[in-house]
Structures are given as structure tokens and as C-alpha cells.
């Protein structure tokens, strides 16, 4: 999983399948650890994030809204451990 400077959270097919192949996800920001949590959303809400396709098998979540809400710049961009 990686977080791009534009706020896109990109995951490979293996991670996506492990999440249960959801159409939407809920994102959570842990202030103490400065990490982003990703859980499948049971249904689409105004706070959930749609999962889109990127390339043949990668999936992308536009997480900029979360980063702006948490006042966290995409400077934390990079590879994330899952």
C-alpha cells in the first residue's frame, strides 16, 4: 500500500482481496501513531470512500479529504506497511 503526494491511497490486488473486495472503504486516522486505517465499508455513506481501479489490478482510494480533515499534508506519502 502506498500514499501518493496527491492523496491517493494505492493498494495491490492481494491487499484489496484481503479487505474483502469492497466497493467503498472507511478510513481512520490514528493521531498517536500517525497512521491511516482502512476497513471495508458495510454500505456507502457520505463518509466512506469509493474504491476505484488503477491499471490492470491495482485499486485506488482518493484520501485527500481525510488528510485535509486531519490537517495532515501528503508529506507522509510513501510506502505503508499493511
Amino acid at each position: 500500500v502506498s500514499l501518493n503526494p496527491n492523496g491517493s491511497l494505492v493498494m495491490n490486488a492481494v491487499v484489496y482481496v484481503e479487505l474483502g473486495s469492497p466497493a467503498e472503504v472507511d478510513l481512520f486516522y490514528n493521531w498517536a501513531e500517525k497512521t491511516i486505517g482502512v476497513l471495508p465499508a458495510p454500505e456507502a455513506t457520505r463518509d466512506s470512500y469509493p474504491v476505484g481501479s488503477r491499471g490492470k489490478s491495482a485499486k485506488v482510494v482518493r484520501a485527500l479529504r481525510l488528510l485535509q480533515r486531519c490537517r495532515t499534508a501528503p508529506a507522509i506519502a510513501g510506502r505503508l506497511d499493511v
Side-chain angles (χ1 to χ4, degrees):
V1 178
S2 63
L3 180 63
N4 295 335
N6 66 358
S8 295
L9 188 68
V10 181
M11 65 186 93
N12 64 28
V14 173
V15 172
Y16 181 65
V17 169
E18 285 181 15
L19 276 174
S21 305
E24 306 245 344
V25 294
D26 289 324
L27 299 178
F28 306 93
Y29 186 72
N30 181 322
W31 290 93
E33 300 291 328
K34 296 184 179 178
T35 57
I36 298 172
V38 181
L39 290 174
E43 60 185 49
T45 67
R46 69 182 194 104
D47 292 324
S48 61
Y49 294 78
V51 177
S53 293
R54 182 170 185 167
K56 288 186 176 182
S57 61
K59 299 297 181 181
V60 65
V61 177
R62 308 287 182 205
L64 189 58
R65 180 173 34 125
L66 173 76
L67 299 176
Q68 290 172 336
R69 189 180 317 157
C70 296
R71 299 172 197 234
T72 304
I76 63 170
R79 189 168 182 84
L80 308 173
D81 294 326
V82 227

